[in-house]
Amino acid sequence: QGSDLTLYGYLNTAVESYYKGAAASSSAVGLPSATTSRLTNYGSFFGTRGSEDLGGGMKALFQVESYVFLDGVTPPGFNAFASRNTRVGLETPYGTVFGGVWDTPVRMLLARDLFPGSTPDGGQILGNGVANTVSNVQAPGSFARRQVNTLAYWSPSMNGLRLMAHYSFGEDATPTARPRLLSTSAVYDGGPLSLGAAYETHGRYGGAGTQDRAWVLYGAYTFGNLKLGAYVVDMHYERVIGSDTLDLDVRNWQLQATYRLGKGLLKAAYTRADNGSGSLSALGTDANGQVTVDASRMAGQATAGPDTGASQIALGYEYGLSKRTAWHTNLLFHRNERNGAYTPFAGVPSPAGALGVRTRLLSVGLRHVF
Amino acid sequence: QGSDLTLYGYLNTAVESYYKGAAASSSAVGLPSATTSRLTNYGSFFGTRGSEDLGGGMKALFQVESYVFLDGVTPPGFNAFASRNTRVGLETPYGTVFGGVWDTPVRMLLARDLFPGSTPDGGQILGNGVANTVSNVQAPGSFARRQVNTLAYWSPSMNGLRLMAHYSFGEDATPTARPRLLSTSAVYDGGPLSLGAAYETHGRYGGAGTQDRAWVLYGAYTFGNLKLGAYVVDMHYERVIGSDTLDLDVRNWQLQATYRLGKGLLKAAYTRADNGSGSLSALGTDANGQVTVDASRMAGQATAGPDTGASQIALGYEYGLSKRTAWHTNLLFHRNERNGAYTPFAGVPSPAGALGVRTRLLSVGLRHVF
Amino acid sequence: QGSDLTLYGYLNTAVESYYKGAAASSSAVGLPSATTSRLTNYGSFFGTRGSEDLGGGMKALFQVESYVFLDGVTPPGFNAFASRNTRVGLETPYGTVFGGVWDTPVRMLLARDLFPGSTPDGGQILGNGVANTVSNVQAPGSFARRQVNTLAYWSPSMNGLRLMAHYSFGEDATPTARPRLLSTSAVYDGGPLSLGAAYETHGRYGGAGTQDRAWVLYGAYTFGNLKLGAYVVDMHYERVIGSDTLDLDVRNWQLQATYRLGKGLLKAAYTRADNGSGSLSALGTDANGQVTVDASRMAGQATAGPDTGASQIALGYEYGLSKRTAWHTNLLFHRNERNGAYTPFAGVPSPAGALGVRTRLLSVGLRHVF
């Protein structure tokens, strides 16, 4: 009926061989090393979008987007249909307003990672966990959120600069609070240069009176076939534990480079989570001197203490069979420090409390966009 | 492949500010007053339909329609895809026969409420609860049902008169019965006048040998820019409790008016549930003289007893940005009597047993149809 | 966006009257006889597929296919969207490679049954249970699988002969094993003659070191309006029980015939499961001499022992209203032997341990393809 309805999709799958090392010898929870082969889904989706010209520079806009779990495996309890970026809104000369479920501005900026949606996705470290279609009471440690109950404003592009603000309503009550989210960004894209800053606050995620926040800085520059970029992310958490409010600070960063080689593209990223600092530490020791973890004092994958960081190197090559279809292969080296508990995105999860686990992965896959 | 396949949708969302009053002082279950702001989905959907001309005045018809939970929040355990009105059938000169999941004729008549699918939907009172995609053992108190396992017949339109009959098979066994549903309607639409009557029976919803039934009368007349309408609904319930069969009668009604003002539309509806009467009463008193509720003696939101009714006033204004896109704003005043337990459609639910709760709501939203 | 995106679907529903007999008098678990009427979904689906020409005889291919539970009833916990045959892949002159979720080659060969997806589907006996969208740890007895985590190769058609191989990765760990699947087939279709052979192995489905396997042979020949066909299926199971590995062999077969009568088609199939043989027997006797079943020693519907077989006769007639739309009616007579525990596809299930149940069914329905 609509004059400009579009069906679109992104399908990406890979065969992976996946080595997961043993837990650190100091970890109270052990984990033997193991190798897995698997078929994985790399963030596939399918959607419909359209718009209607209302005259006077105004348009009605909509999008209905669904997860495609291409390997057939839907996470339990997950509704795939129309729970990816989905909205209805109005575009005006003064900007766009919409309501629905959508990536936050912080996540949209973090999606300039070189491997978004695939196992080497650096956003999993940078944002402390990529969280898909979550409310204000789910995945409270994550700053890479696809957020429900979102009311959004996007400015028009002003000579390459765009401002965004998303608010997610405090609809879900916890026993002590009614959490809510505000995420904002300013991003400039002009010729070879991209610069972005984003800031997000999580009100009452950690209990009454708490406020978590993160800022993200991003910059990239293209020199001919070479593009270099970098992220810095700073996250601050507050958690009510008994009668105290404890806090945690985490600073993560990434260096990235791509090099275009004809129809091929070489990609490399180094991502690093520094040690957490502050009074919110999950680490303890048991009677045998082994390091234990108090899960209630983790903020996602992060906690305060020595050697709680992680780093990963991701290397990729992709070859375009057309503008819409490409083969790709990736190598990932993910290393937790002795007390670190990070996991690659959509990776084989570690048992709770297993520390210091390292991961190596080789993938070969195919991507098609329509 | 099909020559006339259509993709269509309805997307409607609003920001609501929602005040919910305290429970009546006589209620054994307390509830403090609270205010919520939220983003809400107003009955959005997305579908595909088509037909094939078979010659001789016959057509094959189909529709596959899905819920779009536009704010990203799917009710737990709910399958959004293809579980809204979905069918395959044949249209002939003598009428249309189809099988699938579909609104009952009673619900289709109640959908002439002025606010269908949004929080002020009067069908929530008139039909004792709007029930989405339910079988014969789910939501047994509701007479506003989207019903699975439906075999349907619709007459052709005969000078504006159309007859409908839907039967839902008794596939789901309870310990004592195999419930089933029959819903019928006759609706006339001609020029300024609309008249409708519908009748629905629920066999064995309340236990072996029981028969719940409802009739609905509707009329509306358009005088220039003004349209006036009214509903009367009469519901009868039977419930086996121990060795007795108790019964409950509820009569609800609505007055509605709309006034067209250029591209704008003013809407007002007053909806009323009278006290339930009969032997099926959930009300009791505890040792402190507070009023208690025995949930097993409720029929949806209704029960017999003094002051068990409710009423609501809904006021709305919408402004068409085009034929397919409109802004809207609503005001809702929902008032339970002292022992009443009604809740607005998709409203913040009250704790079981909280009586006499009142609700006020202000919304601003956007609707787009494609 | 894609130049050749297609929306397609298959919608099929029927009203069924369904008689289910009592359990055998020797069965420890009783079951009274009962008759049900119901509206049933016969394997309906809806999908999108497309391809992109990459030049040099290569194409990118994709398909996203969803279950349509046309009667509105989704199995609990089931994700309907995009979990039917869904893939992304490449077609080359040397064959097609894809990843996703797809029917195994064995199931694709068994789908030459005359009633696929409907209650008389003989694949339910031939393959020991039709299993929809399962991993390597779900429905371990079934050899008619829609399998997740599939990497597939299909040869080009070579003068009517096509080879297929599907591998499903061992991603899901059980306490003792990491099961995986390999399914292969060779099928020839040329003029009046069709011949097919398929072989499938299930590594570690029954515990460490076990290997289940099945082979299927199929042949059919068309003589004018008459087509005759036959299947033989041989299944072997191994199960670790305590410290022993017990085994079970089952051999099933089918004879089928169709006769074209103008726009009508007559269909008949006789399907038979022989007694299971081997050391894996679930049968025992209780103190009263009644026959008991140890569910842990069943392989799907099969077990070793006397009178553990079943047979069914399916008769059908369909009449084409067009190439895409047909009415159909079926009769099914399904008979378990005294100790048999087979159930028709999507039939009313028997209580665990009820033996010797017989079923009769009459259906009238409508099918539309778009």
Side-chain angles (χ1 to χ4, degrees):
Chain A
Q1 244 145 318
S3 49
D4 69 343
L5 189 73
T6 302
L7 296 175
Y8 64 93
Y10 173 95
L11 300 175
N12 195 347
T13 190
V15 173
E16 296 184 341
S17 180
Y18 195 95
Y19 168 80
K20 185 150 190 168
S25 61
S26 55
S27 171
V29 174
L31 176 69
S33 65
T35 299
T36 312
S37 289
R38 59 178 196 173
L39 188 87
T40 314
N41 173 42
Y42 277 1
S44 304
F45 55 84
F46 174 53
T48 308
R49 63 182 156 225
S51 64
E52 181 196 16
D53 195 327
L54 302 171
M58 282 178 68
K59 272 185 183 180
L61 296 175
F62 72 90
Q63 178 166 305
V64 176
E65 192 173 285
S66 303
Y67 293 90
V68 175
F69 294 105
L70 190 48
D71 54 358
V73 184
T74 303
F78 207 93
N79 173 49
F81 183 76
S83 63
R84 229 171 169 280
N85 292 350
T86 293
R87 66 174 175 181
V88 64
L90 279 183
E91 187 183 314
T92 76
Y94 310 102
T96 298
V97 176
F98 65 85
V101 43
W102 209 267
D103 292 356
T104 62
V106 162
R107 178 166 176 167
M108 284 189 271
L109 186 55
L110 289 175
R112 299 186 178 217
D113 181 80
L114 306 179
F115 304 87
S118 59
T119 314
D121 188 342
Q124 173 74 359
I125 289 181
L126 291 172
N128 194 4
V130 174
N132 282 330
T133 309
V134 288
S135 74
N136 284 320
V137 294
Q138 292 169 294
S142 167
F143 278 96
R145 308 176 72 81
R146 180 164 299 133
Q147 185 72 23
V148 307
N149 297 315
T150 289
L151 182 67
Y153 168 77
W154 294 357
S155 83
S157 177
M158 300 170 287
N159 297 317
L161 176 68
R162 189 165 220 186
L163 310 177
M164 293 181 170
H166 287 203
Y167 180 71
S168 173
F169 288 86
E171 302 185 16
D172 303 289
T174 67
T176 61
R178 196 174 273 286
R180 62 194 175 180
L181 173 149
L182 179 66
S183 188
T184 57
S185 68
V187 178
Y188 171 78
D189 285 300
L193 177 67
S194 292
L195 287 174
Y199 183 74
E200 183 170 312
T201 60
H202 295 172
R204 313 172 195 143
Y205 273 39
T210 66
Q211 174 110 320
D212 299 348
R213 54 125 199 90
W215 51 256
V216 180
L217 299 178
Y218 173 74
Y221 199 87
T222 303
F223 310 87
N225 287 321
L226 178 69
K227 181 176 180 181
L228 299 177
Y231 280 107
V232 183
V233 182
D234 186 284
M235 295 177 277
H236 172 77
Y237 295 95
E238 298 173 358
R239 292 287 175 271
V240 175
I241 306 279
S243 58
D244 298 323
T245 298
L246 308 182
D247 65 339
L248 168 68
D249 284 279
V250 187
R251 181 167 298 188
N252 299 339
W253 49 275
Q254 186 187 75
L255 301 176
Q256 56 177 229
T258 60
Y259 190 78
R260 195 158 288 284
L261 257 171
K263 292 178 177 176
L265 187 69
L266 282 162
K267 307 190 288 187
Y270 175 77
T271 313
R272 166 95 193 130
D274 284 342
N275 291 338
S277 62
S279 54
L280 184 70
S281 177
L283 303 181
T285 43
D286 66 12
N288 303 318
Q290 299 293 102
V291 180
T292 59
V293 171
D294 175 352
S296 70
R297 297 186 179 210
M298 297 292 293
Q301 308 167 100
T303 198
D307 303 318
T308 52
S311 56
Q312 71 177 28
I313 296 170
L315 303 173
Y317 177 71
E318 58 184 64
Y319 182 82
L321 300 168
S322 77
K323 289 209 169 176
R324 290 164 41 204
T325 306
W327 279 102
H328 50 75
T329 182
N330 296 322
L331 262 174
L332 174 69
F333 303 91
H334 178 98
R335 190 180 72 83
N336 277 299
E337 292 179 13
R338 193 164 42 96
N339 298 325
Y342 288 80
T343 305
F345 179 55
V348 176
S350 298
L355 299 172
V357 176
R358 300 179 185 200
T359 302
R360 287 198 307 267
L361 176 140
L362 171 66
S363 73
V364 179
L366 180 69
R367 184 180 68 225
H368 179 69
V369 179
F370 61 94
Chain B
Q1 244 143 318
S3 50
D4 69 342
L5 189 72
T6 302
L7 296 175
Y8 64 92
Y10 172 96
L11 300 175
N12 195 347
T13 190
V15 173
E16 296 184 341
S17 180
Y18 195 95
Y19 168 79
K20 184 150 191 169
S25 60
S26 55
S27 170
V29 174
L31 176 70
S33 66
T35 299
T36 313
S37 290
R38 59 178 197 173
L39 189 87
T40 315
N41 173 43
Y42 277 2
S44 304
F45 56 83
F46 174 52
T48 308
R49 63 181 156 226
S51 63
E52 181 197 15
D53 196 328
L54 301 171
M58 284 177 67
K59 272 184 182 182
L61 297 174
F62 72 91
Q63 178 166 304
V64 175
E65 192 172 284
S66 302
Y67 293 89
V68 174
F69 294 104
L70 189 49
D71 54 359
V73 184
T74 303
F78 206 93
N79 174 48
F81 183 76
S83 62
R84 230 172 169 280
N85 292 351
T86 294
R87 66 173 175 180
V88 64
L90 279 184
E91 187 183 315
T92 76
Y94 309 102
T96 298
V97 176
F98 66 84
V101 43
W102 209 267
D103 292 356
T104 62
V106 162
R107 178 165 175 168
M108 283 188 273
L109 186 55
L110 289 175
R112 299 185 179 219
D113 181 80
L114 306 179
F115 304 87
S118 59
T119 313
D121 188 341
Q124 173 76 359
I125 289 180
L126 291 172
N128 194 5
V130 174
N132 282 330
T133 309
V134 288
S135 73
N136 284 321
V137 295
Q138 292 169 295
S142 167
F143 277 96
R145 308 175 72 82
R146 180 164 298 132
Q147 186 72 23
V148 307
N149 296 316
T150 288
L151 182 67
Y153 169 78
W154 295 357
S155 82
S157 177
M158 300 169 289
N159 298 317
L161 176 67
R162 188 165 219 185
L163 310 177
M164 293 181 171
H166 287 202
Y167 180 72
S168 173
F169 287 86
E171 301 185 16
D172 303 289
T174 67
T176 60
R178 195 174 274 287
R180 62 193 176 181
L181 173 150
L182 179 65
S183 188
T184 57
S185 70
V187 177
Y188 171 79
D189 285 301
L193 178 65
S194 291
L195 287 174
Y199 183 74
E200 183 170 312
T201 60
H202 296 171
R204 314 172 194 140
Y205 273 39
T210 66
Q211 174 110 320
D212 299 348
R213 55 124 198 92
W215 51 256
V216 181
L217 299 178
Y218 173 74
Y221 199 87
T222 303
F223 310 86
N225 287 320
L226 178 68
K227 181 176 180 182
L228 298 177
Y231 280 107
V232 183
V233 182
D234 187 284
M235 295 176 278
H236 171 77
Y237 296 95
E238 298 172 359
R239 292 288 175 272
V240 175
I241 306 279
S243 57
D244 297 325
T245 298
L246 307 182
D247 65 339
L248 169 67
D249 284 278
V250 187
R251 181 166 299 188
N252 300 339
W253 50 275
Q254 185 187 73
L255 301 176
Q256 56 177 228
T258 60
Y259 190 79
R260 195 159 289 283
L261 256 172
K263 292 179 177 175
L265 187 69
L266 281 162
K267 308 189 287 187
Y270 175 76
T271 313
R272 167 91 194 133
D274 284 341
N275 291 338
S277 62
S279 53
L280 184 71
S281 176
L283 303 181
T285 43
D286 66 12
N288 303 317
Q290 299 292 101
V291 181
T292 58
V293 171
D294 175 353
S296 69
R297 297 185 179 211
M298 297 291 293
Q301 307 168 101
T303 198
D307 303 318
T308 53
S311 56
Q312 70 178 30
I313 296 171
L315 303 173
Y317 176 70
E318 57 184 65
Y319 182 82
L321 300 168
S322 77
K323 290 209 168 179
R324 290 164 41 202
T325 306
W327 279 101
H328 50 76
T329 182
N330 297 321
L331 262 174
L332 174 70
F333 303 91
H334 178 99
R335 191 180 71 83
N336 277 299
E337 292 178 14
R338 195 166 40 98
N339 298 324
Y342 288 80
T343 305
F345 179 54
V348 176
S350 299
L355 298 172
V357 177
R358 300 180 183 199
T359 302
R360 287 198 307 267
L361 176 139
L362 170 66
S363 72
V364 179
L366 180 69
R367 183 180 69 225
H368 179 69
V369 179
F370 62 94
Chain C
Q1 244 143 320
S3 50
D4 68 344
L5 189 71
T6 302
L7 297 175
Y8 64 92
Y10 172 96
L11 300 175
N12 195 347
T13 189
V15 173
E16 296 184 340
S17 181
Y18 195 94
Y19 168 79
K20 185 151 191 167
S25 60
S26 56
S27 171
V29 174
L31 176 70
S33 66
T35 298
T36 313
S37 290
R38 60 177 196 174
L39 188 87
T40 315
N41 173 43
Y42 278 1
S44 304
F45 55 84
F46 174 52
T48 308
R49 63 182 156 225
S51 63
E52 181 197 15
D53 196 328
L54 301 171
M58 283 178 67
K59 271 185 182 181
L61 296 175
F62 72 91
Q63 179 166 303
V64 176
E65 192 173 284
S66 302
Y67 293 89
V68 175
F69 295 105
L70 190 48
D71 54 359
V73 184
T74 304
F78 206 92
N79 174 50
F81 183 76
S83 63
R84 229 171 169 281
N85 292 350
T86 293
R87 66 174 175 179
V88 63
L90 280 183
E91 186 183 314
T92 76
Y94 310 102
T96 298
V97 176
F98 66 85
V101 43
W102 209 267
D103 292 355
T104 62
V106 162
R107 177 166 176 168
M108 283 189 271
L109 185 55
L110 289 175
R112 298 184 179 219
D113 182 80
L114 306 179
F115 304 87
S118 60
T119 313
D121 188 342
Q124 173 75 358
I125 289 180
L126 290 173
N128 194 4
V130 173
N132 282 331
T133 309
V134 288
S135 73
N136 284 320
V137 295
Q138 292 169 295
S142 167
F143 278 97
R145 307 175 72 82
R146 179 164 299 132
Q147 186 71 22
V148 307
N149 295 316
T150 289
L151 182 67
Y153 169 76
W154 295 356
S155 82
S157 177
M158 300 169 288
N159 298 317
L161 176 67
R162 188 165 219 184
L163 309 177
M164 292 181 170
H166 287 202
Y167 179 72
S168 173
F169 288 86
E171 301 185 16
D172 303 288
T174 68
T176 60
R178 196 174 272 287
R180 61 194 176 181
L181 173 150
L182 179 65
S183 188
T184 56
S185 69
V187 177
Y188 171 79
D189 285 301
L193 178 67
S194 291
L195 287 174
Y199 182 75
E200 183 169 313
T201 60
H202 295 172
R204 314 174 194 139
Y205 273 39
T210 65
Q211 174 110 320
D212 300 348
R213 55 126 198 90
W215 50 256
V216 180
L217 299 179
Y218 173 73
Y221 200 87
T222 303
F223 311 85
N225 287 322
L226 178 69
K227 181 177 180 182
L228 299 177
Y231 280 108
V232 183
V233 182
D234 187 284
M235 294 177 277
H236 171 77
Y237 295 96
E238 298 174 358
R239 292 288 175 272
V240 175
I241 306 279
S243 58
D244 298 323
T245 298
L246 307 182
D247 65 341
L248 168 67
D249 284 279
V250 186
R251 181 167 299 187
N252 300 340
W253 49 275
Q254 186 187 73
L255 300 177
Q256 55 176 229
T258 61
Y259 190 80
R260 195 160 289 284
L261 256 172
K263 292 179 178 176
L265 187 69
L266 281 163
K267 307 189 288 187
Y270 175 77
T271 313
R272 166 92 195 135
D274 284 341
N275 291 337
S277 62
S279 53
L280 184 71
S281 177
L283 303 181
T285 43
D286 66 11
N288 303 319
Q290 299 292 101
V291 180
T292 59
V293 171
D294 175 353
S296 70
R297 297 185 179 211
M298 297 291 293
Q301 307 168 100
T303 198
D307 303 318
T308 53
S311 55
Q312 71 177 30
I313 295 170
L315 303 173
Y317 177 72
E318 56 185 65
Y319 182 82
L321 299 168
S322 77
K323 289 208 168 177
R324 289 163 42 203
T325 306
W327 279 101
H328 51 75
T329 182
N330 296 322
L331 262 175
L332 174 70
F333 302 91
H334 178 98
R335 192 180 71 83
N336 277 299
E337 292 178 13
R338 194 164 42 98
N339 297 325
Y342 287 80
T343 305
F345 180 54
V348 176
S350 298
L355 299 172
V357 177
R358 300 180 184 199
T359 301
R360 287 198 306 267
L361 177 139
L362 171 66
S363 72
V364 179
L366 180 69
R367 182 180 69 225
H368 179 69
V369 179
F370 62 94

